[in-house]
């Protein structure tokens, strides 16, 4: 234990922005270079700021928790900031930082594919580093949680791609339409971190579609792309009961993926009945906290079912999962924990991104393409931020809140100039551990 005075002394000496850069450098050496190499949609003769600067500004907006584009421009408008960014990006001369309109203009034209590719690069680097091998399910499969969430709501038509939701007031009978944008996320779960590996926007192709887009259709697109990108990666898909259906089983099996879905009796009654019957036979009145039955026939396949009752805050919850992972007496408990990882996308995923750290529901630009790019940049920033929060021993011992971590980062970039010595320290090899 350190005393509060020691803690203050320790904090005074730390340049948190440098610590953050060290983590970024350790995991992703060519990151800034990669940002510089995006296919720039702008007319090159009018370009004042390179893409790496514009994209880094957005990453800083996220990690320093600026809630609006305007506050970002104001918050970073200091000599020290300009100087630090110039050093970090190894840019020749930087006298001013770009105005937020310049950034939004760039993001309204940048192909989102460019940012998707950058994210793929980050995930590949992480997997190559082999620092999360212990997190593989059954020592083999990477858990990927799939779930959709709402991002933006408008009371007027916003663009041709909005999802339309009709509402009727219960008492007055008054009707109105809500215009929304949703996203389907695939997040790689490693320990306490959930790292975005793919995002598919749930949106209509055009205004006059006969059937609106939905989560399951978005899953078809996302799963096709995920398989094409990570061809040989052993994956286990974790999702809620919406996914326990024929089309998703088929898709996962065709991709040679394992899956574990929450199951509700109503979704496939025949499977539920079969489970109850086989369970009664197998356990014959014995009571346990975990029950499992394998080889439940459904269409062309056999499914395994696992039921667990978990005590949480004096309340007992019963969960039922369907999976194509083999279950054994020894593995049953561990598999319950795997199935329950799905909830991490709610807490460490959406909830944190909406209400704790990045305010992803705040509209930074009305432009449809910029909206997507803003979202993808948050996902990229969040990968860096989670590695920083969980990988920095200093932050782990200090037990700072997310807000405090972001404030300390901002304070450092605004007030401390990076020295030559600091820059040299970036390239020194370091060890990063996620526990202890
Ligand atoms: Zn729209």
């Amino acid at each position: 234990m350190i005393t509060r005075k020691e803690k203050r002394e320790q904090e005074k000496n730390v340049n948190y922005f440098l610590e953050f850069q060290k983590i970024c450098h350790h995991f992703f050496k060519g990151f800034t270079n990669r940002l510089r190499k995006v296919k720039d949609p702008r007319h090159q003769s009018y370009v004042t700021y390179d893409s790496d600067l514009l994209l880094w500004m957005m990453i800083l907006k996220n990690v320093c928790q600026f809630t609006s584009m305007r506050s970002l421009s104001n918050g970073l408008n200091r000599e020290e900031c300009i100087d630090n960014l110039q050093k970090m990006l190894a840019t020749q001369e930087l006298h001013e930082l770009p105005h937020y309109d310049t950034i939004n203009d760039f993001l309204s034209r940048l192909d989102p594919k460019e940012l998707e590719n950058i994210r793929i690069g980050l995930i590949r680097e992480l997997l190559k580093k082999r620092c999360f091998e212990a997190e593989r399910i059954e020592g083999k499969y990477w858990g990927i949680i799939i779930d959709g969430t709402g991002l933006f709501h408008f009371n007027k038509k916003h663009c041709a791609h909005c999802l339309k939701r009709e509402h009727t007031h219960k008492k007055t009978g008054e009707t109105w339409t809500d215009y929304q944008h949703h996203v389907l996320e695939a997040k790689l779960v490693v320990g306490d971190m959930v790292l975005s590996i793919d995002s598919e926007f749930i949106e209509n192709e055009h205004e006059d579609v006969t059937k609106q887009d939905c989560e399951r259709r978005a899953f078809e697109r996302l799963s096709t792309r995920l398989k094409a990108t990570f061809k040989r990666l052993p994956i286990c898909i974790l999702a809620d009961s919406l996914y326990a259906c024929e089309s998703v089983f088929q898709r996962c099996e065709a991709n040679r993926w394992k899956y574990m879905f929450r199951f509700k009796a109503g979704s496939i009654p025949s499977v539920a009945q079969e489970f109850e019957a086989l369970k009664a036979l197998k356990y014959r009145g014995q009571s346990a906290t975990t029950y499992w039955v394998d080889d439940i026939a459904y269409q062309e396949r056999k499914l395994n079912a696992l039921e667990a009752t978990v005590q949480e805050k004096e309340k007992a919850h019963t969960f039922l999962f369907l999976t194509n992972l083999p279950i054994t007496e020894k593995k049953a408990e561990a598999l319950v924990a795997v199935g329950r990882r799905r909830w991490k996308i709610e807490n460490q995923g959406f909830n944190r991104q909406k209400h704790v750290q990045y305010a992803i529901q705040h509209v930074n630009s009305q432009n449809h393409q910029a909206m997507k790019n803003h979202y993808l940049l948050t996902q990229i920033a969040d990968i860096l931020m989670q590695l920083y929060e969980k990988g920095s021993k200093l932050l782990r011992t200090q037990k700072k809140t997310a807000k405090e971590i972001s404030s300390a980062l901002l304070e450092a970039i605004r007030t401390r100039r990076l020295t030559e010595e600091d820059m040299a320290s970036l390239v020194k090899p370091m060890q990063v551990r996620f526990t202890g």
Side-chain angles (χ1 to χ4, degrees):
M1 280 299 282
I2 54 169
T3 66
R4 282 189 291 171
K5 185 170 191 299
E6 280 165 349
K7 193 176 167 194
R8 281 198 303 276
E9 286 302 316
Q10 188 190 49
E11 292 192 13
K12 229 190 299 174
N13 293 321
V14 181
N15 180 341
Y16 288 96
F17 181 57
L18 180 65
E19 290 303 306
F20 176 69
Q21 287 300 326
K22 278 184 188 168
I23 293 276
C24 295
H25 239 265
H26 170 76
F27 287 103
F28 317 113
K29 283 202 175 49
F31 182 63
T32 297
N33 218 3
R34 186 64 192 78
L35 299 183
R36 194 170 298 157
K37 283 193 185 136
V38 296
K39 204 165 160 241
D40 201 326
R42 299 169 298 171
H43 195 298
Q44 292 307 300
S45 50
Y46 303 120
V47 165
T48 317
Y49 300 106
D50 287 334
S51 57
D52 55 347
L53 175 64
L54 303 179
L55 294 170
W56 255 116
M57 292 274 291
M58 288 313 303
I59 290 169
L60 293 176
K61 172 181 181 293
N62 283 289
V63 300
C64 297
Q65 293 192 32
F66 285 108
T67 48
S68 71
M69 293 297 282
R70 188 185 300 270
S71 65
L72 170 74
S73 283
N74 293 335
L76 294 188
N77 187 21
R78 278 179 72 112
E79 290 295 331
E80 290 88 345
C81 276
I82 299 172
D83 191 48
N84 285 336
L85 278 163
Q86 179 175 328
K87 281 215 183 76
M88 197 184 99
L89 303 176
T91 307
Q92 290 288 312
E93 270 179 44
L94 192 60
H95 302 295
E96 289 295 339
L97 292 178
H99 187 263
Y100 62 86
D101 280 338
T102 309
I103 304 178
N104 263 338
D105 176 62
F106 171 69
L107 293 180
S108 67
R109 288 191 273 162
L110 178 71
D111 185 347
K113 194 97 211 109
E114 294 291 320
L115 297 177
E116 285 171 12
N117 287 337
I118 286 172
R119 175 174 55 188
I120 291 168
L122 297 185
I123 298 290
R124 281 198 204 288
E125 284 290 313
L126 280 180
L127 294 175
K128 228 166 56 188
K129 281 238 162 17
R130 302 179 66 87
C131 44
F132 302 118
E133 290 298 305
E135 302 294 339
R136 292 191 187 213
I137 297 164
E138 306 206 321
K140 181 166 183 191
Y141 305 101
W142 294 101
I144 292 184
I145 316 173
I146 306 276
D147 202 7
T149 195
L151 290 178
F152 311 116
H153 293 253
F154 305 96
N155 51 20
K156 282 201 289 271
K157 185 191 132 186
H158 155 266
C159 72
H161 309 285
C162 290
L163 298 173
K164 285 184 229 170
R165 296 275 188 272
E166 311 288 342
H167 301 276
T168 308
H169 195 281
K170 274 193 191 117
K171 283 185 187 143
T172 62
E174 183 198 352
T175 61
W176 74 97
T177 310
D178 206 14
Y179 296 85
Q180 311 179 351
H181 281 259
H182 291 232
V183 68
L184 180 67
E185 267 289 311
K187 293 196 197 278
L188 180 71
V189 48
V190 280
D192 242 1
M193 296 185 279
V194 282
L195 311 173
S196 177
I197 181 167
D198 201 319
S199 315
E200 177 64 31
F201 295 92
I202 309 174
E203 57 180 24
N204 297 329
E205 250 180 282
H206 55 84
E207 233 172 305
D208 307 314
V209 288
T210 46
K211 204 166 169 251
Q212 296 205 71
D213 199 14
C214 66
E215 198 170 321
R216 278 193 195 163
R217 287 163 82 183
F219 176 72
E220 285 178 24
R221 304 193 296 273
L222 182 144
S223 55
T224 305
R225 189 174 50 231
L226 195 60
K227 181 66 187 175
T229 314
F230 297 96
K231 282 187 196 67
R232 282 181 297 273
L233 194 70
I235 288 173
C236 178
I237 299 286
L238 308 170
D240 65 21
S241 57
L242 176 75
Y243 291 83
C245 68
E246 180 60 21
S247 65
V248 178
F249 292 145
Q250 266 183 28
R251 167 82 37 161
C252 291
E253 286 154 9
N255 287 351
R256 295 171 176 274
W257 289 344
K258 295 294 176 193
Y259 51 77
M260 190 158 184
F261 302 129
R262 178 90 190 270
F263 180 59
K264 286 183 181 151
S267 1
I268 316 176
S270 68
V271 169
Q273 284 157 13
E274 183 85 357
F275 171 68
E276 289 303 332
L278 292 171
K279 183 175 107 178
L281 268 179
K282 183 176 173 184
Y283 294 92
R284 293 177 191 279
Q286 299 167 41
S287 80
T289 50
T290 309
Y291 302 97
W292 57 272
V293 167
D294 47 19
D295 291 343
I296 299 174
Y298 178 63
Q299 310 277 32
E300 302 294 308
R301 72 187 58 74
K302 300 246 172 90
L303 293 164
N304 305 323
L306 176 66
E307 185 188 274
T309 302
V310 179
Q311 205 68 26
E312 233 173 36
K313 291 180 196 151
E314 293 169 28
K315 252 182 154 179
H317 299 272
T318 299
F319 307 111
L320 188 53
F321 300 101
L322 283 185
T323 179
N324 59 350
L325 284 166
I327 310 175
T328 61
E329 202 64 57
K330 258 189 180 165
K331 290 196 297 193
E333 290 295 327
L335 283 174
V336 172
V338 167
R340 299 187 73 218
R341 284 190 197 173
R342 193 201 75 74
W343 280 273
K344 286 183 193 277
I345 201 168
E346 295 288 342
N347 303 322
Q348 287 95 320
F350 300 144
N351 210 6
R352 196 173 47 87
Q353 291 198 351
K354 284 180 184 180
H355 308 299
V356 183
Q357 265 166 321
Y358 314 113
I360 53 171
Q361 287 171 303
H362 176 85
V363 181
N364 289 303
S365 163
Q366 290 289 331
N367 178 278
H368 175 240
Q369 194 155 320
M371 263 183 173
K372 291 185 174 182
N373 285 327
H374 274 288
Y375 181 79
L376 292 170
L377 281 161
T378 300
Q379 303 314 311
I380 290 170
D382 192 31
I383 293 174
L384 304 177
M385 197 59 174
Q386 287 184 71
L387 292 170
Y388 172 57
E389 286 179 17
K390 309 284 185 213
S392 158
K393 188 159 188 210
L394 189 70
L395 292 183
R396 280 203 305 274
T397 51
Q398 288 175 346
K399 293 192 171 35
K400 282 187 193 301
T401 64
K403 187 104 216 147
E404 288 164 349
I405 292 173
S406 289
S407 306
L409 256 178
L410 178 60
E411 168 82 9
I413 189 175
R414 276 170 50 88
T415 57
R416 301 177 70 134
R417 282 179 205 264
L418 290 170
T419 63
E420 290 309 318
E421 199 184 330
D422 289 338
M423 297 311 291
S425 74
L426 278 180
V427 291
K428 281 189 196 139
M430 63 190 277
Q431 275 227 331
V432 178
R433 291 214 177 88
F434 291 89
T435 47

